[in-house]
Every structure is written in structure tokens, then in C-alpha cells.
Amino acid sequence: MSDTPLLTAAWLDLLMVNFAVEPARLAPLVPAGTELDTHQGVTYASLVAFRFVDTRVLGWKIPFHHRFEELNLRFYVRRQAGSELRRAVVFIREVVPRAAIALVARALYNEPYIARPMRHRVGGDPPSVSYGWRVGGRWHTLSARARGSATVPGDDSVEAFITEHYWGYTRQRDGGTLEYRVQHPRWRVWQAELDPLPDLAPLYGPAWAEALNRPVSVLLADGSPVSVYRGVCLPDA
């Protein structure tokens, strides 16, 4: 696996809204060669919104495409690679504001990106964040406010389970699986109070909107510089 990052950026002001979901809902989406991951017997999906800043591809900053928002819906898998247990995310759908970004991500990783107008607002101490996207002719907004002080999660906490994933897997068009590495330091995390959820059906469909109607936790993370490496196809997938 290459030691040169394909993409570098800062991921900042991450809002993570977490849901307990039935494993049967996620099982058809699990990439070959991986298995669903759980924390204390609970299977999670997360709606995550954040900012990309100073985005570079192979060290090059692309004009007008280096600062933007992303909204994604993801779940968690694991894979045993020799003696290493690789805990990872799988994306159900990712939303960005620029079509070129979505096109490149689909071409390089076959990740399920789409492009929609987006906006954000961040401020306060402790912070409050708001992320919006336009679909179906109107704006939808996900927003929350931090409570208390930020901490670095303990190793066995649910907060660490949600935030500490350093691998990604994505299903390929031929049924195989692409594995890629993500590198960043551990993030500080706040518990957060969420405003009412927007209508998620226009992005994810009625079934997912119904499944994502009752969060079990809401987190804010400060974020950090991040490196994403080239993907490799799993030989055993």
C-alpha cells in the first residue's frame, strides 16, 4: 500500500448523529470480505456532516474545490487482516456541493457521491454547528449545540467507536471490495443537543428516513488534518 496520500485535507466541525439500526437492514450493503461491526451488541449507522478545508489531491490544491461541506450516511464494518483488526466505515450516500468532487470520488473509489447545493454555519464556545443542503427545491438543515467540555474518548467508549475508524471499504462494480486507509489524530468530542431532524427521505428514501428518526447519541468533534490513501482491491473478496 502506498505511503503517499492521494488526498489531504482538514476535516473540521464534525456533527455525528448516531442511530441504532437492525443488522438485517445493513447486511445487504456489507462489502465482500468484511463483516458488520458492533459496539456492546448495538449496530450503528451515523449521519455525519463536516467541513473540508485546504483539500489537496497529490499535493495540489484545485481552484474553487478546496473548501466545501460534506454530508454522509455511514455504517461500521471490520476485517481481520493477519493479526490486525481493521475497523472501518462504509458509506451509503455522500453529498457534496460540487459535481466535480462527486465525479472524482466515484471514479477513484466508486464511492456513492452525489452533488447538491450545501451551506454551513459554525460558531460559539462551546460550538454550535449547522449544515444545510438543498434537494427537492428546498433547504434542509441539520444543526446541534455542544454541551459541557470536549474530551478525548476512552478506548472502549461508544464515542471512540464512532470516531476512531482508520479504514474504509467500498463495493466495486464487479462485486469486489476496495480498501483504503485514513490517517488522523484522535479527536476531541463533545456531547451535543440536536435540533429537530430534517426530512431525510429526499436524500435516502422513505425506509431510511423511518429508520433514522430517533438518534441514540449526538456528538461534535473538533477534527484535524486527514490523509486518505489510494485504495487496493481485496484479493479475498
Side-chain angles (χ1 to χ4, degrees):
M1 190 171 293
S2 172
D3 289 330
T4 301
L6 177 63
L7 180 144
T8 59
W11 292 354
L12 302 178
D13 304 311
L14 295 98
L15 170 54
M16 302 176 165
V17 185
N18 308 302
F19 306 84
V21 298
E22 292 295 327
R25 180 178 295 277
L26 296 172
L29 307 177
V30 174
T34 71
E35 61 181 353
L36 277 175
D37 202 359
T38 62
H39 182 265
Q40 296 184 354
V42 179
T43 305
Y44 288 93
S46 299
L47 194 63
V48 180
F50 62 103
R51 298 191 298 129
F52 270 84
V53 176
D54 194 28
T55 307
R56 298 170 185 262
V57 178
L58 294 175
W60 292 88
K61 183 182 290 188
I62 309 302
F64 310 111
H65 291 76
H66 58 92
R67 301 174 71 94
F68 55 91
E69 303 90 349
E70 178 173 313
L71 172 76
N72 65 60
L73 178 60
R74 72 188 200 183
F75 66 98
Y76 305 94
V77 299
R78 61 192 177 202
R79 173 177 177 260
Q80 193 71 41
S83 61
E84 179 186 3
L85 180 63
R86 294 180 175 175
R87 312 193 88 154
V89 300
V90 177
F91 295 103
I92 297 170
R93 173 162 288 175
E94 297 161 273
V95 185
V96 289
R98 297 188 181 274
I101 298 166
L103 180 64
V104 169
R106 290 197 300 265
L108 292 176
Y109 293 97
N110 198 40
E111 290 283 17
Y113 271 86
I114 61 172
R116 297 291 185 271
M118 297 188 71
R119 62 190 183 189
H120 75 276
R121 187 176 67 251
V122 175
D125 184 17
S128 63
V129 301
S130 176
Y131 290 92
W133 59 95
R134 195 173 71 200
V135 63
R138 65 187 182 94
W139 284 95
H140 306 256
T141 302
L142 187 71
S143 57
R145 293 162 302 285
R147 298 195 312 244
S149 301
T151 60
V152 176
D155 290 342
D156 296 326
S157 66
V158 66
E159 291 83 4
F161 177 81
I162 296 297
T163 59
E164 302 297 318
H165 286 84
Y166 301 102
W167 297 89
Y169 294 100
T170 184
R171 183 179 292 170
Q172 300 300 284
R173 296 177 182 86
D174 63 0
T177 298
L178 191 77
E179 174 188 73
Y180 57 93
R181 181 164 60 98
V182 180
Q183 186 177 49
H184 64 77
R186 300 184 75 173
W187 295 328
R188 297 187 310 145
V189 174
W190 291 264
Q191 303 296 320
E193 180 180 352
L194 185 70
D195 288 341
L197 280 168
D199 182 9
L200 298 175
L203 276 183
Y204 299 111
W208 269 112
E210 182 179 356
L212 303 179
N213 65 358
R214 189 173 298 175
V216 295
S217 70
V218 182
L219 308 175
L220 290 180
D222 54 359
S224 69
V226 173
S227 297
V228 181
Y229 293 81
R230 291 183 182 274
V232 297
C233 290
L234 297 185
D236 54 347

